[in-house]
Amino acid sequence: MHAFCKTCENCQKVDTGQKVLLYNSRPHLFPEKLRSRWSGPFIVKHVYPYRALDIENPKNNNVFKVNRHHLKTYFDNFPSENEFIGLNDPVDKG
């Protein structure tokens, strides 16, 4: 799956204004098992050649340059499709 995503044009495309997550790669003295190393979302401000990007933290408006390898796309507003299937309902009527 990783190899497919690396060749997928939509997965690798980053545009200005897009939301992304940043991988926190700093070494930790006491690793926290329940804490995610992805932080964000951040907003892409400028895309440079050779996989460099300027991203902005919307909380304090800090802008900094990062490598594209430390980012992944942030997807928000997933449609919440809650399907209810009763346990007493037959699945196959045939």
Side-chain angles (χ1 to χ4, degrees):
M1 184 168 164
H2 180 71
F4 173 75
C5 287
K6 287 295 181 185
T7 60
C8 177
E9 186 72 26
N10 292 333
C11 296
Q12 300 300 313
K13 185 174 158 183
V14 177
D15 293 325
T16 304
Q18 183 178 0
K19 291 183 179 180
V20 292
L21 296 174
L22 177 66
Y23 184 73
N24 185 3
S25 61
R26 278 188 280 143
H28 299 282
L29 292 175
F30 302 104
E32 301 171 12
K33 293 191 181 251
L34 298 176
R35 183 173 172 225
S36 175
R37 290 186 180 241
W38 293 98
S39 60
F42 296 96
I43 300 172
V44 176
K45 286 298 180 184
H46 183 52
V47 179
Y48 295 103
Y50 305 108
R51 298 186 158 282
L53 302 164
D54 278 342
I55 61 174
E56 177 186 16
N57 187 349
K59 295 177 183 173
N60 56 13
N61 296 329
N62 286 346
V63 178
F64 50 97
K65 190 181 287 190
V66 296
N67 191 332
R68 168 70 172 94
H69 295 290
H70 293 272
L71 300 175
K72 72 177 177 180
T73 305
Y74 175 75
F75 296 106
D76 57 355
N77 298 330
F78 278 115
S80 60
E81 297 176 6
N82 296 332
E83 183 178 338
F84 177 76
I85 299 174
L87 296 176
N88 296 331
D89 295 339
V91 177
D92 186 23
K93 294 183 180 182

